[in-house]
Amino acid sequence: MNRIDRAFAELKDQNKPAFIPFLTIGDPDVRTSIDIIKQLEQSGATMVELGVPYSDPLADGPVIQRSSGRALKNNKVSIRDCIEAARQARSEGCELPFILFTYYNPVLQFGLDRIFGLLQESDISGIIIPDLPMEEDAEVRAAAERHGIHLIPLVAPTSNDRIKRIVSRASGFVYCVSSLGVTGTRTQFHSGIDGFLDTVKQSTALPVAIGFGISTNEQFKRFSQACDGIVVGSALVRQVEEVLPLLEQESTRSEALSQIDTFVRNLIQS
Ligand SMILES: O=P(O)(O)OC[C@@H](O)[C@@H](O)c1c[nH]c2ccccc12
């Protein structure tokens, strides 16, 4: 049991879905990201995906691509900076479970045992690596298991006969992608989404979360019926982008955080 497991268990008793925001660490800077993480906890987040900015975010739509670009241009944020941000947020009283969200290349560069050892020391409970195919994940899974870190798999509506194999090796929770293509807010989702979610839920006892495209309270409530967790990235990152000028001025930063708070509370209200 780590923080992710405990968070889902508590919510199960309350029959509420987990709200799992994603943000790019370092957009506009690491200190501001830490302030946003603490704000997200106050606003109702259950756990948070800490996005490591990457130069070639192939699975990301324009909003997160721009966010990664700002983080890399402003601060050259590394995977180590993101882990340091998590440690700092924790030291400032944030109790949220942290999930490091990173493409595979930075993990390989860092070294598997080195990074999982650092995640364990830093009280980071999970990792999502969107471009790590199941067929190549044995070493990563072994390193994650050795260090008690959940390697959370993505499963897509087109995974079909791979769903059972992906889900059988899952840890922490299963991340169902609502649509094909890249991240980004959407007005409609994959046509077979309900059957897909049923198939995943029948294949695992783990919590099932959904992400990709969710940006409105109506969508949040719709998926709350079917899933244990809801991931929101682009819609939140878009909010950060909109309040950047306010975030970058010390005198208006609290106003910016308040606008992010309002956005989140409206998004997740039951
Ligand atoms: O941005 P969206 O459409 O709300 O989707 C969540 C997504 O941002 C986050 O989980 C994520 C960010 N980058 C990714 C790349 C692949 C899969 C998922 C992700």
Side-chain angles (χ1 to χ4, degrees):
M1 284 278 271
N2 72 24
R3 285 177 184 264
I4 289 175
D5 309 304
R6 290 196 294 274
F8 275 115
E10 278 165 31
L11 282 176
K12 200 171 179 73
D13 297 344
Q14 302 163 27
N15 195 22
K16 275 174 63 179
F19 169 51
I20 310 172
F22 163 96
L23 77 159
T24 307
I25 302 301
D27 177 27
D29 56 66
V30 173
R31 179 62 247 176
T32 303
S33 295
I34 293 167
D35 292 338
I36 295 172
I37 290 165
K38 291 163 68 179
Q39 179 60 60
L40 289 170
E41 181 176 39
Q42 298 309 312
S43 305
T46 311
M47 54 193 84
V48 59
E49 287 183 8
L50 308 177
V52 178
Y54 187 49
S55 53
D56 183 22
L58 49 89
D60 279 302
V63 170
I64 293 180
Q65 290 209 21
R66 285 200 301 272
S67 177
S68 276
R70 285 192 296 270
L72 291 172
K73 183 164 74 62
N74 298 352
N75 321 281
K76 295 217 175 316
V77 173
S78 67
I79 203 163
R80 181 180 287 279
D81 294 326
C82 296
I83 294 170
E84 196 43 49
R87 296 172 81 109
Q88 185 57 35
R90 189 75 78 220
S91 74
E92 293 178 17
C94 178
E95 289 298 323
L96 291 178
F98 294 136
I99 300 165
L100 191 74
F101 190 104
T102 176
Y103 284 87
Y104 193 23
N105 190 271
V107 171
L108 280 180
Q109 301 295 321
F110 206 94
L112 287 184
D113 269 314
R114 208 162 137 244
I115 192 161
F116 281 103
L118 192 53
L119 292 182
Q120 186 179 26
E121 276 168 43
S122 309
D123 189 10
I124 293 174
S125 309
I127 188 168
I128 297 176
I129 308 175
D131 58 343
L132 172 64
M134 171 180 62
E135 293 72 12
E136 295 168 41
D137 73 359
E139 269 187 270
V140 179
R141 239 164 4 102
E145 279 163 18
R146 273 197 301 279
H147 294 88
I149 308 293
H150 287 315
L151 175 61
I152 298 153
L154 297 174
V155 61
T158 49
S159 299
N160 299 326
D161 61 343
R162 293 174 77 245
I163 289 177
K164 286 191 172 24
R165 275 186 294 140
I166 294 171
V167 167
S168 68
R169 323 135 81 97
S171 177
F173 62 91
V174 176
Y175 184 151
C176 294
V177 173
S178 73
S179 323
L180 305 183
V182 297
T183 58
T185 58
R186 287 160 163 83
T187 52
Q188 59 185 18
F189 302 96
H190 189 273
S191 55
I193 183 92
D194 294 320
F196 162 56
L197 290 172
D198 285 343
T199 303
V200 175
K201 289 189 292 186
Q202 285 152 21
S203 311
T204 182
L206 287 175
V208 172
I210 188 162
F212 267 51
I214 298 160
S215 62
T216 68
N217 178 246
E218 186 252 334
Q219 292 168 341
F220 189 90
K221 285 193 285 196
R222 169 198 170 180
F223 287 121
S224 297
Q225 305 304 315
C227 298
D228 305 298
I230 296 166
V231 179
V232 176
S234 299
L236 174 67
V237 172
R238 184 79 192 83
Q239 283 302 312
V240 170
E241 191 172 56
E242 278 182 14
V243 299
L244 274 180
L246 296 175
L247 278 172
E248 286 164 339
Q249 299 294 328
E250 194 58 43
S251 60
T252 51
R253 178 168 296 192
S254 58
E255 167 57 24
L257 293 173
S258 168
Q259 290 188 30
I260 291 170
D261 177 53
T262 302
F263 167 76
V264 169
R265 290 180 189 276
N266 289 336
L267 175 68
I268 67 175
Q269 66 179 349
S270 50

